[in-house]
Amino acid sequence: MRTLTIGGNDYKIEYSFEAAEYKDCVDKAFKILSGGYLMRRNGIPDDDSPVAERKREMAAAFVDGTGDMLSDIPKIAITFLYGGLLENNPVASEAEAKALFKQFVKENPNDERASFFGMYAFLRDCMEEDGFFKLTGLEKMIAEMNAATEGHEEGENKPKPVKAPADRRRKSTSTK
């Protein structure tokens, strides 16, 4: 749990049950942590496309996904702030959380949290410290996704075992 001072009032930021039940907060955390923003536009064409075209489309999809993620950081920061406020000092809406953030920025222009990305990073660290990712199951899900991806990639690179044709095997003979 961390504290933000805004307008002379201390606001406790905690990611526990209330934040875990806030769907938008969990959804946005999942998209950021899983790389969902980057993979949203996979850009992979049919298998009969030339390799060069596939690489260009994948690079463009990566850039587009990164752009989507960066352009959503302001909304994500406000959603995360709202989710973190719910446990100890609930606010009425994300609009109220946004107003508090605006006030914080005006009061603390030199604070590294006085930007959307700075606040996002602060809140993400708070989520991790409070065990939010474990509580919501995101930690386990991301780990399983990473393990599956690593296994899939390793499987693609492993040579397949060569089977000897059946007609070239020795016939077994019985000595009964």
Side-chain angles (χ1 to χ4, degrees):
M1 178 173 43
R2 295 184 180 190
T3 303
L4 283 176
T5 302
I6 305 170
N9 297 317
D10 288 340
Y11 291 89
K12 293 179 183 177
I13 307 296
E14 182 178 0
Y15 293 92
S16 189
F17 293 98
E18 294 298 323
E21 291 177 351
Y22 183 45
K23 185 180 188 291
D24 283 348
C25 188
V26 176
D27 178 58
K28 289 176 181 168
F30 173 75
K31 287 177 182 172
I32 288 283
L33 293 174
S34 69
Y37 275 102
L38 303 179
M39 300 310 289
R40 184 184 306 162
R41 300 179 183 182
N42 65 18
I44 299 173
D46 295 335
D47 286 338
D48 60 348
S49 296
V51 174
E53 180 63 23
R54 182 178 306 160
K55 287 181 180 181
R56 280 192 295 276
E57 287 185 13
M58 287 177 66
F62 183 80
V63 170
D64 289 344
T66 303
D68 286 347
M69 182 176 69
L70 291 175
S71 65
D72 283 349
I73 288 290
K75 181 68 176 149
I76 292 166
I78 298 304
T79 299
F80 282 7
L81 179 58
Y82 177 66
L85 289 168
L86 290 173
E87 192 72 31
N88 294 298
N89 33 274
V91 294
S93 65
E94 281 194 25
E96 191 175 329
K98 181 179 176 180
L100 286 172
F101 176 68
K102 285 173 85 171
Q103 184 177 354
F104 177 82
V105 170
K106 288 177 183 177
E107 293 173 356
N108 304 284
N110 297 323
D111 191 308
E112 64 183 47
R113 300 168 296 177
S115 70
F116 286 110
F117 190 82
M119 184 58 70
Y120 157 75
F122 168 77
L123 297 171
R124 181 200 58 221
D125 292 346
C126 187
M127 291 170 135
E128 189 170 346
E129 289 172 12
D130 289 348
F132 176 78
F133 304 127
K134 183 177 181 181
L135 178 64
T136 58
L138 288 173
E139 182 178 84
K140 184 176 180 179
M141 183 177 289
I142 300 298
E144 288 173 358
M145 288 172 63
N146 288 338
T149 300
E150 288 170 7
H152 180 67
E153 288 172 357
E154 288 173 11
E156 288 180 355
N157 296 331
K158 287 183 182 177
K160 294 182 180 178
V162 178
K163 294 183 179 180
D167 64 340
R168 294 188 185 155
R169 290 189 195 146
R170 286 187 161 179
K171 292 183 181 177
S172 64
T173 55
S174 177
T175 56
K176 289 185 183 178

